[in-house]
Amino acid sequence: MIWILAGAVLLPSFFVSLIAVAIVRRFAVRLRLLDQPNARKVHSNPVPLGGGLGIWCGLFSVFTVGSLIVHFSSPEMLNRFGLEVVANHLEGMRQKSVELWSLLTCAFVLVAVGLMDDRRGLSWQIRIGIEFIVAAIVVFGLDIRFTAFIQFSFLSDLASMIWIVALINSFNMLDNMDGLSGGVAAIICFVLSIMLLFGPGASAGQPQIFVACMLLALLGSLLGFLCHNWPPAGIFMGDAGSYLVGFWIAIATLLTTYTGYHSDTPHAILAPLCALAIPLYDTFSVIAIRLSERRSPFQADKKHFSHRLVEMGLSKRAAVLTIYLATLTTALGALLLQRTDVFGAVVVVLIVICTCGLMAILELLAVRDRSL
């Protein structure tokens, strides 16, 4: 039944995104959505932007149809079609509909800001300011925040807002090579949705259907987009897409229940850090490099993890696949945190840290060899 539900969310979002991205790609010139090559870009010819519109269409269409089904269906009708899981959670899903459409509205605002940035360019102050406003609406207006047992609510609120803005910018910064940001996001969505649908809570008859559907819808949309973005890319997701992806994954991680207050696995709250270790590694390493060179952390350049791998001798495609593998390695640790004791959790976290540390050491050795 869970597989039927997953397919019912994943496949429509995939096909809608696939078609929508193709349409945007065809009319990109008329829409003035072209990414021109320059010194900090890895492509030498103009490439259409606006793939994020296709990703948005995939999300929007699935949840529009899903909302109609939830509001106009009865448990008996859903049981007749073999959707017992949905039927059992029908009332809860109806209650979540207002929250869902509020989140979709916030996501649309970010898509619109991203499109303006793609077409005309916006200052980093305006972009960050709008991102924090949206994050504040989510935290204070929708009451979505970390439940990490933080005693001081203002710290939880602040951490939640920073988390949302950090992931928006992490996936924006990661969008620097064909197939990179979309592929990494797809891997993370896949692993987190598996955790929600088949974790200990699901085994006890309490799968987190709402959040899993959010991730599966994004996963399908990303796969449809990647059919056009796989190297050599025919279209980029642009800021509209990266803002949407980062925001949606951030919200999904905030909505997820990783452990209970009296649970034996409080360490499961580290799951999103494991799943998102590589995008965060890229973000913080790039910021550290820019600050060490006394430049603004918001100044675009070719210092990203993928660029550094290419400088080490990898092809662009090999660099992307390497980052895919690193992402999968760390993200798989998130699946174990809900199923292991404290010792096992320490091992998982150490594996993630060692993976990031190994990459950093290899990069430092490569820099030293080039300087000799």
Side-chain angles (χ1 to χ4, degrees):
M1 290 181 289
I2 288 179
W3 286 112
I4 294 173
L5 175 63
V9 174
L10 191 68
L11 293 177
S13 60
F14 168 78
F15 286 112
V16 171
S17 175
L18 182 70
I19 295 169
V21 173
I23 294 172
V24 174
R25 182 177 174 181
R26 181 174 181 180
F27 294 99
V29 175
R30 295 185 190 179
L31 296 171
R32 289 185 293 166
L33 289 171
L34 283 177
D35 191 24
Q36 301 293 340
N38 57 41
R40 66 179 181 84
K41 303 291 180 66
V42 297
H43 57 91
S44 54
N45 297 309
V47 177
L49 286 168
L53 284 173
I55 299 172
W56 164 254
C57 288
L59 274 178
F60 182 77
S61 62
V62 165
F63 287 118
T64 299
V65 174
S67 295
L68 292 173
I69 292 174
V70 166
H71 281 282
F72 292 102
S73 296
S74 64
E76 294 77 16
M77 181 189 301
L78 294 172
N79 286 327
R80 218 175 298 140
F81 287 97
L83 294 174
E84 287 87 352
V85 173
V86 179
N88 293 337
H89 297 83
L90 186 61
E91 190 57 37
M93 295 178 80
R94 285 174 177 167
Q95 293 174 3
K96 286 284 188 179
S97 62
V98 174
E99 181 177 81
L100 170 64
W101 283 97
S102 299
L103 291 173
L104 285 170
T105 301
C106 291
F108 180 75
V109 170
L110 291 172
V111 171
V113 171
L115 280 175
M116 287 190 286
D117 196 23
D118 288 332
R119 292 185 62 179
R120 303 173 185 175
L122 298 174
S123 68
W124 68 265
Q125 294 93 336
I126 292 176
R127 290 184 281 112
I128 294 293
I130 294 174
E131 289 166 12
F132 268 106
I133 291 173
V134 171
I137 291 172
V138 169
V139 173
F140 298 106
L142 301 179
D143 197 26
I144 297 174
R145 53 174 57 84
F146 277 122
T147 54
F149 315 129
I150 300 175
Q151 292 184 348
F152 302 102
S153 60
F154 75 92
L155 289 179
S156 176
D157 296 340
L158 180 61
S160 301
M161 291 173 60
I162 292 174
W163 177 254
I164 293 170
V165 174
L167 287 192
I168 290 172
N169 287 279
S170 288
F171 283 96
N172 181 241
M173 296 174 107
L174 197 64
D175 186 30
N176 55 68
M177 280 191 182
D178 299 351
L180 181 55
S181 188
V184 168
I187 292 170
I188 292 168
C189 287
F190 173 74
V191 172
L192 290 179
S193 60
I194 291 295
M195 181 185 74
L196 293 171
L197 293 174
F198 300 100
S203 302
Q206 296 178 329
Q208 298 184 58
I209 299 293
F210 178 71
V211 186
C213 286
M214 288 180 60
L215 291 166
L216 288 171
L218 180 58
L219 174 58
S221 299
L222 287 168
L223 293 176
F225 163 73
L226 284 169
C227 291
H228 299 275
N229 185 242
W230 188 250
I235 189 171
F236 297 155
M237 71 165 61
D239 291 342
S242 59
Y243 292 176
L244 170 63
V245 169
F247 173 76
W248 206 250
I249 291 178
I251 295 303
T253 56
L254 290 178
L255 285 171
T256 299
T257 301
Y258 301 97
T259 183
Y261 189 76
H262 298 291
S263 172
D264 294 330
T265 58
H267 44 263
I269 61 174
L270 298 175
L273 288 177
C274 292
L276 291 151
I278 299 305
L280 293 174
Y281 170 81
D282 175 68
T283 299
F284 288 113
S285 62
V286 167
I287 290 174
I289 291 172
R290 292 172 182 172
L291 291 177
S292 69
E293 296 175 351
R294 297 183 178 181
R295 295 187 292 114
S296 167
F298 300 101
Q299 181 182 342
D301 55 26
K302 295 176 70 173
K303 299 291 187 178
H304 294 275
F305 184 32
S306 56
H307 298 140
R308 302 195 301 266
L309 289 176
V310 170
E311 289 180 359
M312 291 169 61
L314 275 67
S315 67
K316 294 174 185 175
R317 181 172 294 189
V320 171
L321 293 176
T322 299
I323 295 175
Y324 282 2
L325 182 59
T327 301
L328 184 60
T329 300
T330 60
L332 287 174
L335 296 179
L336 294 177
L337 287 177
Q338 288 183 318
R339 299 176 177 271
T340 187
D341 57 13
V342 175
F343 177 79
V346 171
V347 172
V348 169
V349 172
L350 287 176
I351 289 173
V352 172
I353 293 174
C354 289
T355 300
C356 295
L358 177 62
M359 294 186 298
I361 290 171
L362 292 175
E363 289 192 75
L364 290 173
L365 291 175
V367 170
R368 189 194 66 177
D369 291 342
R370 287 197 299 270
S371 63
L372 294 177

